[in-house]
Amino acid sequence: MKYFYKAFTISVLSAIIGLSASVLPASAQDDEVIPEDFKNLTGEQILELVRLSQALQNDDLSARLRKGKTFTPLGISMREGSIYFKFRDPDEIIQLQLTEKDSILNKQTREGNGAIPAGDYGKPIRGTDVTYEDLSMRFLYWPKPVVLKEERVGLKKSWKLRVVNPNRSGPYQSVAIWVHQASGALIKMEGYGWKPSENPIKKFLVTKVQKVDGVWILKQMQVETIDPANGNSLGDTFLEVRKPEDAK
C-alpha cells in the first residue's frame, strides 16, 4: 500500500510503549479524511501499518517519566530499525530492535550488554508504571489480530482490535488496541492479565500532541496501572516529550 509510506502518525512512543514514537501529519488531523488505502483493512494489515510507522522514524528527543512528584529524565533516539531509551544515574540504555516478525529488547549497562529475559518483561522500569513489556510492544506481532469494531476515542474515528498472547510469557494474556483510522496511529491500549477479568491491568492513552518542525509528535501519554478486581486505578505515570528548544 503506497500510502503506508506517506502519512505517519501520532502513534505512541514505545509502546512506549513500545511505547514507540511516530508522528501525525497535519493532513491526518481531520478524522473525516480517511485515505482510500486505509479502508477495508484486515487486522493484520492495520497492525502492519502501525509497525511501519514505528520503524520508519529517525529522530532524537528529550523526555521524562513523571510519577507523582518524581521525574525520571530519558533521551529517546530513533533510528531505522531501533529505538534507544537512555537513562542516567545509573547509566542504562534500553534498545528496542524492530524486525519484520518480532521486537527484541536489549539492555546496556556498565556491567555489560545483553538481551532482557522474557521473565523480566513484566518488571517496572525505575519505579514507574512502565514495564519492559510496555517498551517492547510485542503484542503488535501477535498472530491473528481481530478487528472488533469501529468507535471514537475522543473525537477520533478508530479501529478497535484484540490480540491474544500466543504463549505464556509476559504479563498480558490479551491486549485491546485502538488505531486512528486517518493516520494509522496507536492512540489507546488496554492490557488484560492472565486471571479472567472484565477489567484490564494496564491502560495507555495519548493525551497531548505537539508540532515540531511542521510535524505532529507525541507530547504526553498516560500509562495507568489498574486493579483488575474492581477497575480502580493503582497509580499512573506520564511519558512527556519535550520540544528540542525546551530540552536545552
Side-chain angles (χ1 to χ4, degrees):
M1 296 182 180
K2 60 180 182 296
Y3 200 89
F4 278 12
Y5 298 94
K6 293 182 180 178
F8 298 113
T9 72
I10 258 187
S11 126
V12 283
L13 261 181
S14 156
I16 93 169
I17 270 172
L19 289 171
S20 334
S22 58
V23 296
L24 178 67
S27 61
Q29 295 177 74
D30 184 352
D31 274 326
E32 306 307 318
V33 181
I34 300 176
E36 287 297 321
D37 284 346
F38 284 14
K39 296 178 180 179
N40 302 314
L41 298 182
T42 66
E44 179 55 43
Q45 288 172 326
I46 293 171
L47 289 193
E48 179 187 0
L49 174 61
V50 175
R51 292 193 295 264
L52 280 171
S53 72
Q54 288 182 300
L56 292 180
Q57 303 306 312
N58 289 277
D59 210 343
D60 296 294
L61 299 171
S62 179
R64 67 183 185 181
L65 296 173
R66 174 171 59 86
K67 184 172 177 64
K69 296 182 179 180
T70 302
F71 300 90
T72 303
L74 73 153
I76 303 172
S77 298
M78 289 163 280
R79 298 292 180 267
E80 186 172 349
S82 289
I83 300 174
Y84 299 88
F85 301 87
K86 302 176 181 179
F87 295 91
R88 303 295 299 271
D89 300 323
D91 291 346
E92 179 183 28
I93 298 176
I94 300 171
Q95 178 196 12
L96 172 63
Q97 184 178 353
L98 304 168
T99 71
E100 291 183 3
K101 300 294 184 181
D102 201 357
S103 62
I104 303 168
L105 277 180
N106 300 302
K107 182 162 65 172
Q108 303 173 28
T109 66
R110 291 181 178 179
E111 285 71 40
N113 306 333
I116 296 174
D120 290 346
Y121 274 27
K123 292 183 177 180
I125 296 173
R126 307 240 167 170
T128 70
D129 295 273
V130 178
T131 67
Y132 291 107
E133 178 79 310
D134 300 334
L135 278 182
S136 75
M137 285 191 141
R138 293 184 306 148
F139 55 82
L140 294 179
Y141 298 84
W142 290 350
K144 301 179 181 179
V146 176
V147 180
L148 299 178
K149 60 182 177 179
E150 297 181 3
E151 65 179 25
R152 288 185 180 271
V153 178
L155 298 176
K156 300 189 179 302
K157 292 181 180 177
S158 304
W159 294 289
K160 181 181 180 181
L161 295 85
R162 181 174 184 264
V163 289
V164 177
N165 195 335
N167 54 57
R168 295 286 301 184
S169 66
Y172 303 135
Q173 187 273 336
S174 65
V175 178
I177 305 168
W178 285 260
V179 179
H180 183 216
Q181 290 185 348
S183 66
L186 281 175
I187 55 176
K188 180 181 175 181
M189 296 170 288
E190 293 181 350
Y192 292 79
W194 291 98
K195 293 182 179 180
S197 173
E198 65 180 11
N199 298 311
I201 62 174
K202 188 70 67 68
K203 291 182 179 180
F204 307 82
L205 180 65
V206 173
T207 53
K208 296 179 182 179
V209 295
Q210 59 188 328
K211 201 170 188 178
V212 177
D213 295 331
V215 174
W216 289 94
I217 67 169
L218 177 74
K219 182 175 183 179
Q220 184 184 82
M221 181 177 67
Q222 182 185 27
V223 182
E224 185 176 19
T225 301
I226 304 297
D227 184 345
N230 52 32
N232 292 337
S233 175
L234 297 176
D236 60 6
T237 297
F238 288 86
L239 171 66
E240 298 172 335
V241 179
R242 289 174 285 175
K243 291 183 178 182
E245 60 268 24
D246 295 337
K248 295 179 180 179

